[in-house]
Amino acid sequence: MTTPEKPKAQNTPASGELDEQALFFHRYPRPGKLEIQATKPLGNQRDLALAYSPGVAAPCLAIRDNPETAADYTARANLVAVVSNGTAVLGLGNIGPLASKPVMEGKAVLFKKFAGIDVFDIEIDAPTVDEMVSTVSALEPTFGGINLEDIKAPECFEVERRLREKMNIPVFHDDQHGTAIIVAAAVLNGLELAGKNIADVKIVASGAGAAALACLNLLVTLGAKRENIWVHDLEGLVYVGRAELMDEWKSVYAQPSDKRKLEESIAGADVFLGLSAAGVLKPDLLKQMADKPLIMALANPTPEIMPDLARAERPDAMICTGRSDFPNQVNNVLCFPYIFRGALDCGARTINEEMKMAAVRAIAGLAREEVSDVAARAYSGETPVFGPNYLIPSPFDPRLILRIAPAVARAAEETGVATRPITDFDAYLDILNRFVFRSGFLMKPIFAAAKSAEKKRVIFSEGEDERVMRAAQVLIEENIAKPILIGRPDIIETRLKRYGLRIRPTTDFEVVNPQDDPRFREYVDLYLSLVGRSGVIPEAARTIVRTNTTVIGALSMRRGEADALICGLEGRYDKHLRDVRQIIGKRDGIIDFSALSLLISQRGATFFTDTYVTYSPCAEEIAETTIMAAQEIRRFGITPRAALVSHSNFGSRDSESARKMRQALNILREIAPDLEVDGEMHGDSAIAENLRRRVMPDSTLTGEANLLVFPNLDAANITLGVVKTMTDSLHVGPILLGAALPAHILSPSVTSRGVVNMAALAVVEASYPA
């Protein structure tokens, strides 16, 4: 027996416009969504000899003698096959393997984006169970794991069961288990909020396909009783003795009952699980459900009941859907990338029930934590807090990988299916953190130094900004700094509650209220003494000190009431710099301020200067900036290698700009002989040593330059913006160089993680001055 095909998607005028956009998206600039990139250089004959013949023989023989070394010498341990025969593509039905390819490519990019896992999508013309099993099982030497996708029920159950028996790598049918894991996490949290025990609740299900049955099986593993589960499909209730549309997997939930319809069994239900069709759950049926019911209306694109209708009938209901425009979205991307991440990293032979349960508990636990800024941006309106409208995390919460992958790897080890158990979970978390934030590795010595130093007071000019509040909580929790927030206390208090943050003013951190601070007169007097001869009259000074929060922060620094200043999240850079210049001033002996920016990409770390301050620095200023930048780079545990970049390549042009860079090099060699620096040179010569050696064999710069020094602000700022966007790099900074006290002017696009990074750096600067 087979279940009917899924209904085909209906085109509407709105969807027609979307279809055109989607076709263009998939076709340009190159067809499809995937490409293959080499991870090793292939720039010369020796590279080719190592990558292919004759060098490739060595790893081949090593793997022959010890198959486990395939994880060391090939990409297999990070390679997953997304396999489908196209018989049950979501919303499209049995469209065949070729037509399913865009979906499988989409699944592949999700693996890469969310967990860094490489994928080959494989669409196979194998409509029968035997053909599927034979074809997929033969792929085992290539892959570290198999993700089955869009295979119709009930064949999918048998395909997965037989593949798991035959193969010694994880086989995971995401349509079943991915949905089940997220549903189970939502049920755990929903029942906790309702004060109910899963062993006692009544569960009514509409739909008996692969996903629905997998959800019910996992809920039984959690403790639900089979006698409390009522399953309905196209033929009505699954009951003892029924013959139509029955199979061995569905029969497990057959009820000895004379009831047949959903409206007959819904009475007293604590949980409704819908994986069927739009409109199945009528609003009047909700009246019969138990107190604080959990409604999982997961049909897509239109659920079994729309949340607004359900809430109007039952205000006490907790509602989940599969849609992104409502709270509590059940989306498989919440778990499948991270389950495979943990399974691959420990060399798991399978994904067992214990590993799935570990993922359930990790997802449920994360929803109870404060929401990260990245997750918060996935929602409109107020940031959700654990409760009826926030039972499961956002799919874009970056902490998912940090919770799920280690939990899965631990469970694999504890159940004996890990062939390469993770021995140091702290180090493993560091690796995952680096993937999530990309700044983790480079920032590690900064955070280590900040935590080991005496706690410094960091004052934030934009204390009412959500990013600052989130950063303040991290700084407090990780014992990095003592935040001081400038802002109106009532606004800060209200927004902390809105964003679901636990820290509180005066208890956890200090607040400077610009509207009512007892030090106001003293601040005005100090400000006037500093800028009174710069055209600022007393009346204007009083207004500025009351309204300009960067001025307040800088004055606090000057009075010794704070150790570092972070500002710039709002407004223009030059205005903030003016206030820092007037109040905090430059370090002794410094010509002028300058700014250093760090970009972290797949290639690693590259520093750029001067990116924000001096429009056309002279040779002396360029040399000074290079020295200050090198000092800052050493804080990261990196040895600076500076390239003075120019349109001239070692004297190929004799313009004023080129002469300026040559003069700067002469100054640097005289006053900083230990600094590895060379120039003037082209940008590609700075990055590629082979190009540099070709034109200047005796260059004093080795390897790839990690500090690019530009002849003017236009060149530096434009290059920074272009490289950042083209390489999707993470920007750390700008780092202000030359201030008498630690102060940094950030950009309005900074994230809360960027605020944390710069605050930690400011703490280190305050603790260990250059």
Side-chain angles (χ1 to χ4, degrees):
M1 299 180 184
T2 60
T3 56
E5 292 182 3
K6 297 180 182 178
K8 293 186 178 181
Q10 299 298 312
N11 283 327
T12 64
S15 70
E17 180 180 348
L18 180 63
D19 288 348
E20 288 298 319
Q21 295 174 2
L23 290 172
F24 185 89
F25 174 86
H26 281 76
R27 187 172 184 178
Y28 298 102
R30 292 173 57 185
K33 298 187 285 281
L34 296 173
E35 67 177 0
I36 296 175
Q37 286 188 329
T39 60
K40 299 294 189 294
L42 295 171
N44 53 48
Q45 186 63 40
R46 180 169 178 80
D47 290 343
L48 292 174
L50 291 171
Y52 197 52
S53 180
V56 75
C60 289
L61 295 175
I63 295 169
R64 180 200 63 185
D65 297 338
N66 181 4
E68 291 186 3
T69 61
D72 300 319
Y73 300 126
T74 74
R76 183 175 185 262
N78 193 52
L79 187 61
V80 166
V82 171
V83 183
S84 180
N85 63 0
T87 53
V89 179
L90 181 63
L92 301 175
N94 187 354
I95 61 175
L98 182 59
S100 75
K101 189 171 181 64
V103 179
M104 303 312 127
E105 284 190 355
K107 194 65 174 275
V109 298
L110 293 179
F111 267 106
K112 187 67 174 180
K113 172 68 175 178
F114 287 98
I117 294 172
D118 296 318
V119 167
F120 288 152
D121 64 291
I122 300 178
E123 297 75 31
I124 56 177
D125 186 7
T128 70
V129 171
D130 287 342
E131 289 173 313
M132 281 286 293
V133 171
S134 174
T135 302
V136 177
S137 62
L139 300 174
E140 182 168 351
T142 301
F143 296 99
I146 304 291
N147 185 92
L148 300 174
E149 193 78 15
D150 292 347
I151 304 166
K152 68 185 179 75
E155 288 90 335
C156 61
F157 301 117
E158 182 67 10
V159 168
E160 186 191 41
R161 183 185 66 78
R162 287 170 56 179
L163 285 175
R164 292 183 65 179
E165 290 174 353
K166 291 188 68 171
M167 303 181 78
N168 206 34
I169 57 175
V171 177
F172 188 81
H173 185 204
D174 183 48
D175 297 327
Q176 295 181 55
H177 309 301
T179 302
I181 287 166
I182 303 157
V183 165
V187 169
L188 277 182
N189 282 342
L191 295 183
E192 178 179 314
L193 289 172
K196 299 177 182 179
N197 189 319
I198 193 169
D200 303 324
V201 299
K202 179 179 180 180
I203 301 170
V204 175
S206 175
L213 293 177
C215 290
L216 296 174
N217 292 341
L218 198 53
L219 292 176
V220 169
T221 303
L222 278 170
K225 304 296 185 185
R226 292 185 189 274
E227 58 266 28
N228 293 337
I229 297 174
W230 299 68
V231 180
H232 301 76
D233 62 7
L234 292 174
E235 291 292 327
L237 181 71
V238 174
Y239 61 89
V240 174
R242 198 183 99 174
E244 297 82 2
L245 288 180
M246 292 296 289
D247 55 55
E248 61 180 289
W249 298 278
K250 194 184 302 183
S251 298
V252 171
Y253 295 100
Q255 286 279 7
S257 172
D258 58 359
K259 297 176 181 179
R260 296 294 181 265
K261 298 180 180 179
L262 181 64
E263 52 265 34
E264 295 174 325
S265 58
I266 195 73
D270 300 281
V271 178
F272 171 81
L273 175 63
L275 284 152
S276 53
V280 167
L281 184 61
K282 306 302 180 185
D284 60 319
L285 296 182
L286 300 184
K287 298 175 183 177
Q288 303 179 45
M289 296 186 72
D291 291 339
K292 299 179 180 178
L294 175 59
I295 299 169
M296 313 284 293
L298 306 182
N300 257 329
T302 306
E304 285 78 4
I305 186 168
M306 293 298 288
D308 52 347
L309 292 177
R311 195 164 285 108
E313 194 67 48
R314 288 297 299 267
D316 61 335
M318 293 169 280
I319 307 164
C320 299
T321 71
R323 294 170 55 133
S324 60
D325 53 345
F326 292 105
N328 296 323
Q329 183 194 13
V330 175
N331 188 328
N332 288 8
V333 80
L334 271 166
C335 70
F336 73 80
Y338 317 118
I339 290 173
F340 269 98
R341 182 73 278 158
L344 292 172
D345 290 340
C346 70
R349 295 190 300 272
T350 186
I351 295 174
N352 57 30
E353 290 302 306
E354 291 82 359
M355 293 161 73
K356 288 187 281 186
M357 290 304 299
V360 170
R361 295 190 175 94
I363 294 169
L366 181 56
R368 301 185 188 111
E369 299 181 29
E370 288 85 359
V371 180
S372 72
D373 66 314
V374 177
R377 288 199 299 271
Y379 293 84
S380 58
E382 294 188 355
T383 303
V385 180
F386 177 58
N389 288 326
Y390 190 67
L391 298 174
I392 46 180
S394 161
F396 295 97
D397 193 320
R399 299 169 298 175
L400 285 162
I401 193 172
L402 304 177
R403 304 294 185 272
I404 299 174
V408 168
R410 285 186 189 276
E413 179 181 355
E414 291 168 357
T415 54
V417 299
T419 61
R420 301 187 306 276
I422 293 169
T423 56
D424 187 340
F425 273 90
D426 288 338
Y428 183 51
L429 279 171
D430 277 347
I431 294 171
L432 296 178
N433 260 300
R434 294 204 298 271
F435 173 77
V436 172
F437 296 114
R438 290 184 291 178
S439 59
F441 179 72
L442 285 170
M443 292 302 298
K444 187 172 182 179
I446 300 296
F447 281 104
K451 290 179 181 180
S452 64
E454 179 183 349
K455 292 297 146 302
K456 298 298 182 180
R457 301 158 298 173
V458 179
I459 190 164
F460 295 89
S461 293
E462 293 87 3
E464 296 177 2
D465 191 288
E466 176 184 356
R467 294 165 292 178
V468 169
M469 297 179 193
R470 294 186 181 281
Q473 176 154 305
V474 172
L475 294 170
I476 292 168
E477 289 181 345
E478 296 191 12
N479 202 28
I480 294 170
K482 297 178 180 179
I484 303 170
L485 273 57
I486 302 175
R488 294 161 291 179
D490 56 331
I491 299 297
I492 292 174
E493 182 77 40
T494 299
R495 291 180 179 177
L496 286 170
K497 292 178 181 177
R498 180 191 305 169
Y499 304 140
L501 302 175
R502 73 165 69 94
I503 56 173
R504 289 295 173 262
T506 68
T507 302
D508 300 305
F509 61 90
E510 183 183 342
V511 174
V512 175
N513 183 0
Q515 295 180 338
D516 183 21
D517 191 285
R519 299 164 292 187
F520 175 70
R521 292 179 181 274
E522 298 171 20
Y523 277 33
V524 172
D525 290 343
L526 176 57
Y527 185 57
L528 272 172
S529 71
L530 296 170
V531 302
R533 293 184 178 273
S534 300
V536 179
I537 63 175
E539 183 178 345
R542 286 190 288 271
T543 300
I544 291 170
V545 172
R546 187 74 78 188
T547 59
N548 188 323
T549 55
T550 296
V551 167
I552 296 171
L555 289 171
S556 297
M557 287 268 289
R558 190 67 184 257
R559 285 165 53 88
E561 296 163 351
D563 302 301
L565 168 66
I566 300 293
C567 62
L569 280 78
E570 299 172 5
R572 286 166 41 188
Y573 188 94
D574 57 344
K575 289 188 175 181
H576 292 282
L577 181 60
R578 176 201 60 199
D579 297 330
V580 171
R581 185 188 299 276
Q582 289 179 335
I583 300 169
I584 294 176
K586 299 176 294 184
R587 289 207 314 255
D588 290 340
I590 294 298
I591 301 172
D592 199 4
F593 297 96
S594 54
L596 176 69
S597 291
L598 164 62
L599 290 186
I600 305 170
S601 68
Q602 298 274 351
R603 295 178 57 88
T606 307
F607 293 84
F608 300 73
T609 195
D610 170 14
T611 49
Y612 279 85
V613 178
T614 307
Y615 291 102
S616 183
C618 65
E620 289 77 12
E621 289 174 310
I622 290 172
E624 177 182 84
T625 294
T626 304
I627 292 172
M628 290 193 295
Q631 291 171 340
E632 202 67 34
I633 291 170
R634 292 188 181 99
R635 294 187 189 277
F636 292 84
I638 297 173
T639 300
R641 296 190 300 276
L644 307 183
V645 294
S646 170
H647 70 286
S648 173
N649 203 25
F650 296 105
S652 64
R653 305 285 289 272
D654 197 32
S655 65
E656 180 182 348
S657 172
R659 290 194 297 270
K660 177 173 66 174
M661 299 306 276
R662 287 175 218 149
Q663 185 181 352
L665 178 64
N666 292 333
I667 295 171
L668 285 167
R669 285 179 170 168
E670 181 179 343
I671 64 176
D674 295 333
L675 176 63
E676 189 174 329
V677 59
D678 207 349
E680 82 288 7
M681 69 179 75
H682 286 169
D684 54 359
S685 294
I687 301 302
E689 185 176 22
N690 62 323
L691 296 179
R692 185 167 64 251
R693 294 295 176 192
R694 190 177 302 163
V695 296
M696 184 54 60
D698 62 348
S699 173
T700 54
L701 183 64
T702 61
E704 181 177 321
N706 54 27
L707 172 58
L708 303 182
V709 183
F710 292 85
N712 57 56
L713 184 60
D714 277 347
N717 192 271
I718 292 169
T719 303
L720 174 70
V722 170
V723 173
K724 176 179 179 291
T725 303
M726 290 182 65
T727 60
D728 191 26
S729 298
L730 176 69
H731 181 209
V732 178
I735 303 166
L736 185 63
L737 305 175
L741 297 169
H744 295 292
I745 306 165
L746 308 186
S747 62
S749 62
V750 70
T751 64
S752 70
R753 186 69 190 184
V755 177
V756 171
N757 287 341
M758 292 306 298
L761 182 60
V763 167
V764 174
E765 291 172 340
S767 303
Y768 310 102

